[in-house]
Amino acid sequence: MNKKLIAIDLDGTTLNQQSKITSKTQRVFQKAKEAGHIISIATGRPYRNSKYYYSQLKMDTPMINFNGALCHLPNETSWSDQYHKTISRELAIDMLDLKKDFDIQLIAAELLDTVYADEDFLPYPDFFPNGQQDTQKLSAANLKSDPTSVCVFTAQENQELIINKIIQRYGDLVEVRTWGGQTPCLEIVSAGVQKALGVERVASVYGIKQQDIVAFGDEDNDYEMIQYAGHGVVMQNGIKALKDIANDITEKTNEEDGLALYLENYLGLA
């Protein structure tokens, strides 16, 4: 079998419902690496609250964060193939107006290692770096730099209306993606940004052909990655729109080691 680039989403895919990586998944990933395959995380999460998983899996490969807005090699700031795409601070501040029309728990502007939030709402335990003590208030006076993304936390039933409003207001300037599993999030990034952008960069670094890319995902923000990969696999618990374009679907959910079992069989690791 040719060397594969295995691109893995985190929430709803690699992680179970408790946001944990099981020992089964760790063992299968280790076997895949020993067989010569490359595993790369591609997540909507910022690096600050996904680096724990990178370390847990003992990775040394490039990582894709913010739905493809950042592709980097953790712990190596001089990596020549890194890229980082941002949106304008003015647009980020303007997003606060969404609260006038919609029930939104939190709007947060994400920088590489800092987050500016308009409320004290905590989406999930590790969302804020060092807890909420170092978090700065999202306002025109405080936010001085262009953020990587803006996260809007709201109930799932509000998402479509808010997405339509964002597209109506900002047109071709942004992309809007959903992620978060149990904690629904709309993430707004620069136009053209999606996970496939990062996966393509990682593949080029290792000389992996598109046909040898295997990607796993479950939500809207995985769409382009699943479509781009030579073999796109959607979790049993994934959304229908993704299953409709997938090459295959896991038999089990993320709560049942679906990714690990599929990969074990696909790569002949059992």
Side-chain angles (χ1 to χ4, degrees), residues 131-199:
Q132 290 173 271
Q133 59 187 8
D134 295 335
T135 305
Q136 301 194 52
K137 183 75 172 177
L138 178 58
S139 68
N142 289 338
L143 185 65
K144 303 295 185 185
S145 303
D146 291 341
T148 308
S149 69
V150 173
C151 290
V152 177
F153 289 91
T154 186
Q156 213 153 22
E157 57 266 24
N158 299 329
Q159 288 188 345
E160 187 175 352
L161 286 172
I162 296 175
I163 289 172
N164 290 338
K165 183 75 171 182
I166 290 171
I167 292 171
Q168 182 184 41
R169 183 177 292 189
Y170 307 111
D172 298 331
L173 296 175
V174 298
E175 303 278 353
V176 186
R177 291 291 181 265
T178 61
W179 64 273
Q182 298 292 90
T183 311
C185 174
L186 294 178
E187 184 160 41
I188 299 92
V189 292
S190 178
V193 166
Q194 21 85 1
K195 289 185 182 182
L197 191 69
V199 172

Side-chain angles (χ1 to χ4, degrees), residues 6-10 14 29 39-43 57 59 216 259:
I6 302 159
I8 56 167
D9 170 52
L10 287 179
T14 304
F29 283 178
I39 300 174
S40 183
I41 292 173
T43 179
L57 293 170
M59 288 190 160
F216 290 85
L259 189 164

